[in-house]
Amino acid sequence: MAKWNGYLDFLTIAEAGSITAAARRLGQTQPTLSRRLSQLEAEMGVQLMARTPAGLSPTPAGEQMLETLQKVREHLEQMERKLHHSDVALKGAVRITVTETLGIQWLAPLMGEFYEAYPNIRVELVIDNAMINLLSREAHIAIRLLRPVQPDLITKQVGHLDISLFAARGYADRYGLPRTAEEARRHRAVGLLGITPTAVLTDKLFSADRHVFLSNSLLAVQQTIHAGMGIGPVVNRIGNSDDRLVPCLPEARLCKEIWLTAVPEIRENARYRAVFDFLEQQLKA
């Protein structure tokens, strides 16, 4: 610590041009600062400052030390600015945006486990099937089924989301399950509105007159499947863990990539990183 103080003394003297001016900046007396400079020179074994008509100036050895100390000071100031604008505490809010089915049926039940690990982080879950703009900071982390195109975002492909056809056990007991596309045409279907890949999943197998229910919500479709209305698409990780559902026509399957996306601040923000890592671990499980 003493030598660090000596370096600061020397840096201040060299930049001030005199011991008297440096003493005022450091709040020291001139004799004390002069003694400490002499002590530093003795420890280093070289003369660092020389008297000139203009005052004190660094010697060649002093010039070399001055340049080094100025660089060290610059790096320390950069570090201070970086830490000032970063958040190293595992505390505060993190907003996640995710699609309806994954958010309600998969992510929300995991929040108890996350809270046990990080009780001071408050998760704000935004359920939205639309693409929320992370760059405008509407959310900090997104779970998406399309690869993000914004170059400033932090993205990682963390798994796949399979969607298959399921029916309620009661429906299967009453009507049986189709084994071929031809048999499927005689069954009732529930599906999604629009022309998304998930909507097309049932459109290819069931004619329009066999669709007894359509919705823009995959969660609503799943509820009608539970009610025994017909056969429809369900996320595999949801359907396979639901004893009330049975899969059918396994070849009719849709596979989507899962992309975990975050704002650039995740590099410095500890709570963002904690949530991101937790989601990655769960999605890869």
Side-chain angles (χ1 to χ4, degrees), residues 236-281:
N236 281 26
R237 65 174 66 212
I238 304 299
N240 290 336
S241 62
D242 191 333
D243 292 337
R244 297 170 295 174
L245 300 177
V246 291
C248 65
L249 297 172
E251 67 276 8
R253 181 174 66 93
L254 179 65
C255 182
K256 296 183 177 183
E257 293 180 336
I258 302 177
W259 289 88
L260 197 55
T261 308
V263 293
E265 294 93 312
I266 192 174
R267 297 186 181 98
E268 293 89 25
N269 191 296
R271 70 178 186 276
Y272 294 174
R273 171 56 65 180
V275 175
F276 190 95
D277 291 346
F278 176 83
L279 294 175
E280 179 182 2
Q281 179 183 5

Side-chain angles (χ1 to χ4, degrees), residues 99 102 131 143-147 161 256-259:
T99 58
L102 280 178
M131 288 281 200
I143 302 173
R144 292 178 170 171
L145 302 181
L146 292 174
R147 183 173 187 169
L161 184 75
K256 296 183 177 183
E257 293 180 336
I258 302 177
W259 289 88

Side-chain angles (χ1 to χ4, degrees), residues 50-234:
R51 293 192 179 278
T52 68
L56 285 179
S57 295
T59 64
E63 288 282 3
Q64 185 176 352
M65 179 177 283
L66 176 62
E67 181 181 354
T68 299
L69 290 175
Q70 287 173 332
K71 289 180 179 178
V72 170
R73 180 177 61 189
E74 181 181 351
H75 287 312
L76 290 172
E77 289 173 348
Q78 289 177 350
M79 180 191 69
E80 288 177 356
R81 288 194 296 270
K82 184 176 180 180
L83 290 176
H84 178 72
H85 291 95
S86 68
D87 190 343
V88 296
L90 293 171
K91 182 179 182 180
V94 179
R95 181 167 293 187
I96 307 170
T97 177
V98 63
T99 58
E100 177 186 56
T101 302
L102 280 178
I104 295 174
Q105 295 189 288
W106 174 76
L107 182 52
L110 292 174
M111 287 298 93
E113 179 181 344
F114 180 82
Y115 177 79
E116 290 296 323
Y118 302 101
N120 294 317
I121 297 179
R122 185 182 75 249
V123 171
E124 299 175 354
L125 188 58
V126 178
I127 304 296
D128 200 326
N129 292 328
M131 288 281 200
I132 284 183
N133 186 0
L134 295 191
L135 292 179
S136 66
R137 304 308 186 268
E138 296 176 36
H140 306 117
I141 297 173
I143 302 173
R144 292 178 170 171
L145 302 181
L146 292 174
R147 183 173 187 169
V149 296
Q150 298 98 323
D152 294 333
L153 295 177
I154 307 301
T155 64
K156 182 179 282 192
Q157 202 262 317
V158 292
H160 293 85
L161 184 75
D162 293 328
I163 300 176
S164 299
L165 296 176
F166 286 79
R169 289 192 179 276
Y171 179 96
D173 292 342
R174 185 172 181 180
Y175 302 107
L177 294 175
R179 293 167 294 177
T180 65
E182 181 65 30
E183 290 182 5
R185 294 188 177 94
R186 298 193 294 270
H187 283 264
R188 299 196 304 267
V190 295
L192 286 174
L193 291 165
I195 56 173
T196 64
T198 308
V200 174
L201 192 62
T202 55
D203 289 345
K204 286 182 176 179
L205 291 169
F206 305 92
S207 61
D209 64 312
R210 299 304 296 168
H211 279 77
V212 295
F213 177 84
L214 294 171
S215 174
N216 67 337
S217 164
L218 192 60
L219 190 56
V221 169
Q222 183 179 318
Q223 293 303 311
T224 62
I225 296 171
H226 279 140
M229 287 189 70
I231 298 169
V234 178

